[in-house]
Amino acid sequence: MWKTILRRILIMIPEVIILSILVFLLAKAMPGDPFTGSINPKSDPAQIKHLMKINGLYDPWYQQYWNWVVHLFHGNLGNSYQYQEPVTRLIGGRAQNTLWLALFTMILTYALALPMGVFAGRHEGKIPDTVIRVYTYVTYCIPFFVILVIGIWIFGYVLGWFPTTGSISSEASGWLHTLGSRFYHVLLPAILGALFGTVNIVQYLRSEVIDAKRSDYVRTARAKGVPSKDIYRHHIFRNSLLPIAAFAGYSITGLLNGSIFTETVFSYPGMGLLFVNSISYRDYTVITALVLIYGILNLLGTLLSDIILSVVDPRIRIE
Amino acid sequence: MAANFNEHSDISAADLTRLSQEAKAEATPSSARIIWDEFKADKPAMVALVIVVGFILFVMIGSLFINTPKMMETNIMNYFSQPGQNGLFLGADSAGRSVAQQLIVGSRNSIGIALGLTLISSTFGICWGLISGYFNGYIDWGMQRVYDFMMMLPMTMMIIVLVTIIKNYNAVTLTLIFSIFYWEGTSRLIRSRTLAESEKDYVAASKTSGTGNFKIIFREIMPNISSLIIVDTTLSIAENIGVETGLSYLGFGLPLQTPSLGTMIANANDPNNITQYWWTWLPAALEIIILCLSISYIGQVIRRAADASQRQGATD
């Protein structure tokens, strides 16, 4: 098992290096330079040239890349031109919001998907199973951003049950009130994300339960006279749970990619909205940092899932 | 030759026709026939098919009669006209442009991009999966590392960054940018099936008799997994409609003067629009939902047709 994990991590290293080179080159290819934002009609062209020279912008790209990487390891991602503050601090504040939303969505998704998966597997081929199948099919097909827009329209504007912008109410004061306000702001996006993000878990769990139903240990349990309810709760569910836990890593990846849409629709100040805003302001340092962070988080998500799977399922370890 | 044959055999011409008819009746029906039977047996599927085909035809033909630059002109007289007012079937948006006309042209653009994207990315994904699955070993290992790397990239972000780098992009460049990132799902699916298929006897036999690798891949393995390919491609179309409209919704898809279903839904970003002027965005949103559901449903029906144990249509 350790060998698999080690090999998996070793493969990761070149991937991160290629990603960083790619991100760096893309940032270089973008129009403008880091001083575009600070230029005004009074700036002296010679001085700008001098600034670019001392900042190493005339060096060959590999030299610039190396400097960038060295800065990166010192935790220095540069300054944001739009917000005039260090990128690390800017993203740090936004990351908290995004992770809070992602975590909450994930908890709700599992809370919804686990009972549904077991239920569908238990009543395989009967009406509840069909209903759940139709539900997962519909939620899988519809593009998520359409659901978000319709959701915010119905529940945010027409019914007025939920806030439509921000991550926290400006009137919120005090520790408990702030937490409550935060919770209230992520509730609608999290519910929508959970309702429309169950398909993988439900389908996987359903087939696991159907397989387990016919296995020997379940037959033994039945022969011993264990009540059906307990078989599902203690025997089948526990055995199917760990592979399902492995989906958590993949869910993180999916949620991060979805966060751009969720945060735009709900004007929720997280990393996704920061990215969209930075693109319109051509705030390159922020863009580069965000693409890199999302890439690495994606990688860690899949790594986590692969490790859990290799721990749980010995078949994967044999290579 | 034929006359000669008739003289020396006991079988009459009538027998021959009867025999060939019997053979035809007993033969396995063609895949097109099976799929068609499946549609006939499933009424909702028929409805979905009629909706999709009819709608695509309507949009393609209808958009020919619409002058896009003229349609995108601002007409202050029609500022947020309500549906039915001023002879505008679905009303007008903040610039007084007809929503119904934009919907038709926008649908054509969105569906066109989705089809183009599916064509390019599926072709690439299928080839990648077939080659990777067939050449087990170093080639497969290398190709899988490329796959892993692509999976790690934050796709939406990369597309947005590329769109900002490329100046003067249009529908074609946009489709190509999307295609770079959307072949992985297909390739993984095809690879796993090809791995299983390569183990089979007919492949071994073909190898032994000296058939070239690429001939085995594209003339022998590919036809054998064709049902999977058809199903996956159909489902990809529905998914790809979401890809383009989503990016256009964010403002990084088609340019502003080219209407798309996504840019129309982006009208909902304005709090006034979303509540008061619902007709500027809701029709586009509903259209995407109906279209995606119908196309996926058609995909499901074809999947059922491909799997003999699930068929509902007349089998024998």
Side-chain angles (χ1 to χ4, degrees), chain B residues 207-227:
Chain B
K207 269 185 198 166
T208 324
S209 57
T211 318
N213 281 332
F214 283 92
K215 194 172 177 195
I216 296 181
I217 292 176
F218 291 106
R219 300 287 295 277
E220 291 170 11
I221 294 179
M222 198 166 85
N224 270 308
I225 60 171
S226 58
S227 56

Side-chain angles (χ1 to χ4, degrees), chain B residues 6-315:
Chain B
N6 272 342
E7 263 172 42
H8 292 277
S9 74
D10 303 328
I11 305 168
S12 69
D15 276 342
L16 265 179
T17 35
R18 186 178 51 81
L19 277 176
S20 69
Q21 267 169 5
E22 270 173 20
K24 214 178 248 171
E26 273 175 24
T28 328
S30 69
S31 344
R33 180 90 224 162
I34 294 174
I35 292 172
W36 181 240
D37 283 344
E38 196 62 35
F39 274 107
K40 277 201 292 197
D42 191 345
K43 286 284 167 282
M46 210 57 177
V47 174
L49 190 69
V50 170
I51 289 178
V52 172
V53 174
F55 186 76
I56 291 179
L57 282 178
F58 170 69
V59 160
M60 295 290 166
I61 296 169
S63 61
L64 292 179
F65 294 101
I66 294 170
N67 181 349
T68 311
K70 188 157 176 273
M71 175 190 85
M72 297 307 284
E73 272 170 17
T74 307
N75 181 353
I76 203 71
M77 297 306 288
N78 291 336
Y79 175 79
F80 282 127
S81 287
Q82 292 207 351
Q85 250 178 20
N86 299 343
L88 295 164
F89 178 56
L90 281 171
D93 63 6
S94 60
R97 299 175 297 212
S98 160
V99 171
Q101 284 188 4
Q102 282 189 63
L103 207 57
I104 292 178
V105 178
S107 309
R108 182 202 58 190
N109 293 341
S110 293
I111 293 173
I113 289 182
L115 290 177
L117 169 59
T118 311
L119 187 73
I120 300 173
S121 64
S122 290
T123 311
F124 189 73
I126 289 165
C127 292
W128 189 276
L130 279 169
I131 293 171
S132 172
Y134 178 79
F135 294 108
N136 222 332
Y138 284 112
I139 296 177
D140 182 37
W141 190 87
M143 289 174 96
Q144 282 310 296
R145 294 293 77 75
V146 176
Y147 168 87
D148 285 347
F149 180 73
M150 295 299 288
M151 286 305 283
M152 174 188 73
L153 294 178
M155 277 192 242
T156 319
M157 284 185 162
M158 293 300 282
I159 292 173
I160 293 175
V161 169
L162 283 177
V163 165
T164 40
I165 288 178
I166 294 171
K167 286 178 202 128
N168 301 325
Y169 64 94
N170 52 27
V172 177
T173 38
L174 195 67
T175 313
L176 289 175
I177 294 176
F178 288 151
S179 308
I180 303 175
F181 297 95
Y182 282 95
W183 52 270
E184 290 99 343
T186 309
S187 87
R188 165 108 329 168
L189 190 73
I190 300 292
R191 173 179 172 266
S192 62
R193 266 298 282 277
T194 313
L195 275 177
E197 205 69 18
S198 306
E199 303 285 308
K200 291 194 175 161
D201 287 342
Y202 75 89
V203 175
S206 218
K207 269 185 198 166
T208 324
S209 57
T211 318
N213 281 332
F214 283 92
K215 194 172 177 195
I216 296 181
I217 292 176
F218 291 106
R219 300 287 295 277
E220 291 170 11
I221 294 179
M222 198 166 85
N224 270 308
I225 60 171
S226 58
S227 56
L228 181 75
I229 292 176
I230 296 172
V231 173
D232 181 63
T233 311
T234 320
L235 294 177
S236 307
I237 295 175
E239 219 169 286
N240 291 339
I241 290 180
V243 171
E244 186 273 327
T245 49
L247 263 298
S248 296
Y249 167 78
L250 288 179
F252 304 108
L254 285 173
L256 272 179
Q257 281 306 307
T258 322
S260 143
L261 294 177
T263 46
M264 294 188 70
I265 298 181
N267 282 332
N269 282 343
D270 188 322
N272 281 328
N273 273 353
I274 197 170
T275 46
Q276 290 173 30
Y277 310 119
W278 51 269
W279 59 87
T280 54
W281 64 274
L282 193 59
L286 293 178
E287 191 199 311
I288 291 183
I289 293 179
I290 294 172
L291 214 54
C292 286
L293 283 177
S294 308
I295 296 177
S296 311
Y297 196 74
I298 292 173
Q300 299 288 342
V301 173
I302 301 176
R303 170 179 291 163
R304 247 179 10 222
D307 182 352
S309 61
Q310 293 184 5
R311 266 176 221 158
Q312 291 179 357
T315 38

